[in-house]
Amino acid sequence: MSGWFDRFRSSAEDPAAALAVLTELNGSQQPLRVAIEGSYHTFATRVRLRSGAVTLTYPANIASAVHEQDWLRLQLPHAEPPQDLRLQVSSARHGGSGVLATDIEHIVLLCHLSGAALVARQRKEERIGTGHYKDVAFQLHGGEGTYRLLDISQHGAKARLPDESAHKFFPVGRKLEHGLLHLGNRVQLPVRYSIPRHLVPDAVGMELLLHEDGRSPAVLDAFITALRRRELAVA
């Protein structure tokens, strides 16, 4: 699949290009990563075309995270520059008429075929969702609290905040020296500094720089790779 996207890149804004990409993906055994716009959740999926609609497999354990009219971004492999396929959910009535099949692990969602479009990827770095892991967290230096991470990348993360009172610990644009990254119960990586970049009522997006001790970046890379493989394995 490494070169097929090049055939459609020049006409990425054309709806026909999105349909051509979906046709290529239809029935593929390669799982794709999906982000839910306006949500902290990501999941892996397989794409099928059926009766003028797009169907996506969806993990039942995060069934409440997706709703009718939500927009999804499917990350296209090997696309240069990085591109996503944007789709809108037409039905997320789990157990209702919009569900084509169910099993213990998956639900099948219906998405509109009309409105599908190729769009530029919003993030330069791939972030892996970690919101369902209770022991992946960021700890501020000086005892100002430990915050569960919603996603993580090599140079950034998003942390869940208990309420807006925690905003005072994350002044946007200010470099916060030191900190700890908790990757499970046994692994702690020293953070050289963090810079809050975006605040919403219940979360903060941060730039992170680990200490270049020859170990920490490699450990984080291995952790992200393991999470990515685990996510794709259940598609």
Side-chain angles (χ1 to χ4, degrees):
M1 190 185 278
S2 60
W4 62 266
F5 184 81
D6 291 337
R7 302 201 299 273
F8 315 115
R9 180 171 55 188
S10 62
S11 56
E13 295 182 359
D14 184 351
L19 178 58
V21 169
L22 283 166
T23 301
E24 291 278 348
L25 294 172
N26 183 35
S28 171
Q29 293 304 304
Q30 179 176 0
L32 300 177
R33 294 192 69 250
V34 182
I36 307 170
E37 291 188 1
S39 167
Y40 308 129
H41 293 284
T42 61
F43 61 95
T45 193
R46 299 181 192 276
V47 175
R48 301 289 187 273
L49 295 179
R50 184 181 185 275
S51 302
V54 184
T55 69
L56 305 177
T57 54
Y58 178 72
N61 65 337
I62 55 170
S64 62
V66 68
H67 308 88
E68 293 182 15
Q69 309 308 314
D70 279 352
W71 285 94
L72 309 177
R73 284 177 172 256
L74 283 67
Q75 295 182 358
L76 300 176
H78 313 300
E80 291 296 340
Q83 297 275 325
D84 294 338
L85 180 64
R86 194 167 183 256
L87 295 169
Q88 189 175 33
V89 176
S90 61
S91 182
R93 293 173 293 175
H94 307 291
S97 61
V99 177
L100 301 180
T102 61
D103 58 32
I104 295 175
E105 296 181 347
H106 293 95
I107 291 171
V108 178
L109 299 176
L110 284 175
C111 294
H112 296 288
L113 185 55
S114 61
L118 300 177
V119 295
R121 189 163 301 163
Q122 292 178 320
R123 290 172 170 171
K124 294 180 180 179
E125 284 191 337
E126 179 185 23
R127 288 196 180 184
I128 302 297
T130 57
H132 49 297
Y133 296 104
K134 296 181 179 180
D135 51 4
V136 179
F138 173 71
Q139 181 179 348
L140 281 170
H141 179 67
E144 302 296 355
T146 300
Y147 302 87
R148 185 171 166 181
L149 292 185
L150 299 167
D151 63 35
I152 192 169
S153 70
Q154 272 289 349
H155 299 97
K158 182 177 290 182
R160 182 182 296 279
L161 303 181
D163 52 53
E164 292 188 37
S165 67
H167 285 196
K168 62 186 177 183
F169 301 127
F170 296 95
V172 173
R174 182 179 299 177
K175 182 184 291 188
L176 305 178
E177 302 288 346
H178 309 299
L180 280 177
L181 201 56
H182 295 263
L183 308 180
N185 293 323
R186 298 182 179 181
V187 179
Q188 297 180 354
L189 300 182
V191 175
R192 182 178 175 186
Y193 65 78
S194 60
I195 303 177
R197 295 297 188 187
H198 181 66
L199 270 174
V200 294
D202 63 346
V204 56
M206 301 176 290
E207 175 185 344
L208 295 178
L209 181 65
L210 298 179
H211 279 282
E212 297 181 359
D213 53 13
R215 170 183 174 270
S216 294
V219 171
L220 178 58
D221 182 65
F223 178 76
I224 291 172
T225 298
L227 291 186
R228 183 188 300 111
R229 289 174 177 170
R230 181 180 300 178
E231 183 177 74
L232 294 177
V234 301

